Each structure stands twice: as structure tokens, then as C-alpha cells.
Amino acid sequence: WGGPAQRRAVPSMAAQDAVGAWLNENSTGDADYTATKPAITAEYLAAYNIIIIQDISGWAAFTAEEKAAFDAWVRAGGGVMTLMGYSDNGNEMVNVNDLLSFTTMSYIPSTDTSTPAQRDALLGTCKDCYGASAPQAGWTSHPIGLNVKKVGAFYGRAVTAGSGEVVAQEGSVVLGAAAGVDSGRVFVFHDE
């Protein structure tokens, strides 16, 4: 779910198209992309096993009924991965935090896990080598982070792990957290 990403993972493909193409080629499932907010109902959600939430900052707020349907879908075995850091809009996480409030994990408003000054200090003259993103480490032995060394970040948002398990952290800043919620799974990551 979400608006088009600012950067392209594959030349000539929007990031959503690249992710969908990779999933369709490398898994037994089918991936599709939803740019505009659908009506979130149990019937709609029943078609999905996993939902990746990208930039939904432009979507209308979720109703109480939509949040209840999403909560129930996750608890019944749905999987969710949320991504953040699409722009320097410090409040871009409002809709995601509202939708995931049942998990106790959230994004921290007006945080930036990779500021221009940090990128300049970390990357120096080689900042274009990383696409101007700052390489971020701190991955734990959690299965999601196992063997991951660094991932680039550009305008990421710090995470509150709540009752989730920390997956990536640099210093006191949590970059990713995951939680089992009844039969479902949720992974909250600081950047896209």
C-alpha cells in the first residue's frame, strides 16, 4: 500500500513495481500494488497474506471499523511490514501509527535517522556511492536481521519498539522492531 517512492530501486521502474516484479518472480505468491486507500474490510483483507505499507501519508485517516478489521486480520495470521522516511515531513507517520496502535510499536514524530549532516560526515566524498544514503548497522540476531551488516537510509524515522523485539538499533535509536501479535507478525522499519 502507498504512494510512489521518491527513488527508484530499478531504472525505469517505480519502487513498487520493482518489489512486485521481484516477489512475482521469486515466490509462489502474487503481488499487487495499491496506491490509493481502499475500504479496509475483512473481505478486502482476506485476499492477502502480507501487506507492505510504504507511504500512506496522503491517505484519509482510518475509521474505527477499518482499524478493527486490520487488527483482526493481523491477529488471525496476517503479516505486515511498514516502511518510513519518504521525505523530510516529520509527521508522515501519523496514519501508520494510528493503524498499528494495537501493536505498541510506532514511529517517533519529527525524528530523522539520517540527516544531511550525518550523511556528509559518514560518507564524505563518496556519498553518491551509496545514493546519498547513510549506511546504518546495528542489526541484531533476530531472524530478520541475521547476517545483515548495513542498510542505507535517507530520512528514516526512529522507532518505538514497545513490546516488540528490536531488530536493528544504533546507539539509543531503534531502527527496526518486530512483534508477533497472536498468530500474526508485524515488522516496523525506519526507512524505505
Side-chain angles (χ1 to χ4, degrees):
W1 294 350
Q6 300 293 318
R7 291 156 192 81
R8 298 185 183 279
V10 176
S12 79
M13 274 190 175
Q16 291 81 355
D17 295 333
V19 169
W22 187 89
L23 288 169
N24 287 331
E25 291 171 15
N26 294 284
S27 72
T28 58
D30 293 319
D32 62 13
Y33 164 57
T34 303
T36 57
K37 183 181 176 228
I40 310 300
T41 63
E43 295 77 22
Y44 170 80
L45 294 167
Y48 298 97
N49 294 317
I50 299 169
I51 295 175
I52 300 172
I53 300 174
Q54 303 181 123
D55 182 6
I56 60 171
S57 61
W59 287 17
F62 294 98
T63 66
E65 293 80 14
E66 288 175 321
K67 291 188 290 185
F70 189 79
D71 178 330
W73 174 80
V74 170
R75 290 179 187 281
V80 179
M81 178 179 178
T82 63
L83 306 168
M84 197 53 60
Y86 298 91
S87 69
D88 59 357
N89 172 0
N91 292 310
E92 68 180 340
M93 72 286 302
V94 171
N95 280 340
V96 172
N97 283 349
D98 189 37
L99 189 61
L100 295 182
S101 61
F102 69 96
T103 70
T104 72
M105 295 184 294
S106 63
Y107 293 97
I108 301 171
S110 299
T111 59
D112 189 342
T113 59
S114 173
T115 65
Q118 289 171 312
R119 289 189 292 276
D120 288 344
L122 285 167
L123 305 173
T125 59
C126 192
K127 71 174 142 187
D128 289 331
C129 301
Y130 293 96
S133 66
Q136 303 205 305
W139 292 84
T140 68
S141 60
H142 186 280
I144 292 172
L146 197 59
N147 299 318
V148 176
K149 303 297 181 217
K150 293 183 180 179
V151 172
F154 192 92
Y155 287 127
R157 304 286 175 232
V159 171
T160 298
S163 59
E165 188 176 342
V166 173
V167 174
Q169 179 172 341
E170 284 192 329
S172 64
V173 179
V174 175
L175 306 175
V181 183
D182 294 338
S183 296
R185 301 284 181 262
V186 179
F187 175 44
V188 178
F189 191 61
H190 77 117
D191 201 28
E192 88 279 15

